[in-house]
Amino acid sequence: MTEADYKYFLTYSGVRMPLKLVEPLEATELGNRNTYFRVTHDPAGRVATVEKLVYGEVELSHQYAYRDDGSLAHARIELGDEVTEVDCDETGAPIRS
């Protein structure tokens, strides 16, 4: 990834995945921020990765996989050393086991 591949945001809204990022930031605005979100999109324009950066270090990471119809199929969430894998039903809702 190059810096040009990333979009930056101040925060997100909602609780469903994929996270809905709000309050876009320009790369030039990051120097004054301790915390922000760095996002990539897949070729179809869907959110592929979300990373929460705190003091320049990735604190939280989401990686998303989608079905051919565009619905969320799977999410991998990393918080420190803890990894959570979440499979989703055809509506994109987490499947509870």
Side-chain angles (χ1 to χ4, degrees):
M1 292 272 139
T2 68
E3 284 301 312
D5 295 323
Y6 294 110
K7 302 287 184 206
Y8 303 97
F9 296 86
L10 183 58
T11 189
Y12 67 94
S13 67
V15 295
R16 289 190 54 131
M17 295 180 291
L19 297 178
K20 303 242 184 287
L21 288 299
V22 295
E23 299 189 43
L25 297 169
E26 296 296 326
T28 56
E29 298 177 275
L30 302 178
N32 297 344
R33 300 249 167 236
N34 296 328
T35 303
Y36 59 91
F37 291 85
R38 179 170 70 184
V39 178
T40 63
H41 292 84
D42 69 11
R46 300 171 295 210
V47 173
T49 63
V50 176
E51 297 173 319
K52 180 181 181 183
L53 280 88
V54 179
Y55 294 105
E57 299 293 323
V58 176
E59 180 179 90
L60 169 71
S61 175
H62 284 211
Q63 294 96 37
Y64 301 118
Y66 298 88
R67 292 183 184 82
D68 290 339
D69 68 3
S71 64
L72 183 64
H74 185 81
R76 178 182 172 92
I77 303 164
E78 298 177 28
L79 178 60
D81 293 336
E82 184 178 325
V83 175
T84 303
E85 302 278 347
V86 179
D87 289 316
C88 300
D89 67 16
E90 61 281 347
T91 69
I95 298 171
R96 307 282 183 216
S97 50

